[in-house]
Amino acid sequence: MEVFALVGPLYRRVQRKIELDTARQGLSVGLRAVLDLLREHGPMTVPQMGRAQSISRQFVQRMVNDGAANGLVEAVPNPAHARSSLIRLTDAGRAAIEAAVAREHALLREAAGDLTTADVDTCVRVLGRMLRLFEDVDVNGQAVS
């Protein structure tokens, strides 16, 4: 429970810092999340992105529309499903998300201090185990089968 007591406030503060930083860069948190997902996983459909982030397809679609309007993402044909286009990063979108991630990593490196690689590996192992424990719970509190 001590971990949860720290992770909750930490998550909210980091999320708020990202919101402030991305807003200064002209990105909303939702659009930043879409860009990061595409950076990590390559082209995806809107429904795939919604499932991956446990958020509604409609919200993801709005973020994709914002990204397309700003030249950060584009829709391309999906060879696996003609009715559901793949969304991919444009060069401008890749540059925007890579710059945002670089700024965030630089900021978070300040927190490292005297932490060792073993300290970080242990933390990741503990948090990963906690995440797996609750993998059957949707963000809306609904059980997932």
Side-chain angles (χ1 to χ4, degrees):
M1 289 310 298
E2 291 176 55
V3 173
F4 283 117
L6 293 172
V7 169
L10 173 63
Y11 173 80
R12 288 186 293 277
R13 289 176 187 172
V14 170
Q15 190 66 22
R16 183 66 181 142
K17 178 65 175 163
I18 289 171
E19 283 177 15
L20 295 171
D21 183 50
T22 55
R24 283 191 288 274
Q25 305 306 315
L27 299 175
S28 67
V29 172
L31 178 54
R32 186 232 175 268
V34 165
L35 297 178
D36 197 41
L37 192 60
L38 295 173
R39 179 183 68 87
E40 290 282 327
H41 300 285
M44 300 175 77
T45 64
V46 168
Q48 287 171 331
M49 286 187 273
R51 285 190 299 274
Q53 296 180 332
S54 297
I55 56 178
S56 76
R57 186 200 62 78
Q58 293 82 5
F59 179 77
V60 173
Q61 186 64 61
R62 284 195 306 273
M63 296 303 99
V64 166
N65 292 347
D66 288 350
N70 290 300
L72 303 174
V73 299
E74 62 187 356
V76 296
N78 182 353
H81 193 276
R83 292 183 51 190
S84 187
S85 297
L86 289 171
I87 307 303
R88 72 175 177 199
L89 290 172
T90 62
D91 290 341
R94 182 165 306 285
I97 190 59
E98 287 177 356
V101 169
R103 284 188 305 275
E104 293 159 12
H105 283 188
L107 177 64
L108 291 174
R109 270 193 293 280
E110 294 177 26
D114 63 348
L115 296 175
T116 67
T117 300
D119 292 333
V120 174
D121 291 345
T122 299
C123 180
V124 169
R125 194 176 89 239
V126 168
L127 294 175
R129 185 168 292 171
M130 292 171 74
L131 185 60
R132 284 189 302 279
L133 177 65
F134 297 103
E135 70 187 355
D136 64 333
V137 178
D138 187 15
V139 293
N140 297 319
Q142 305 291 319
V144 177
S145 303

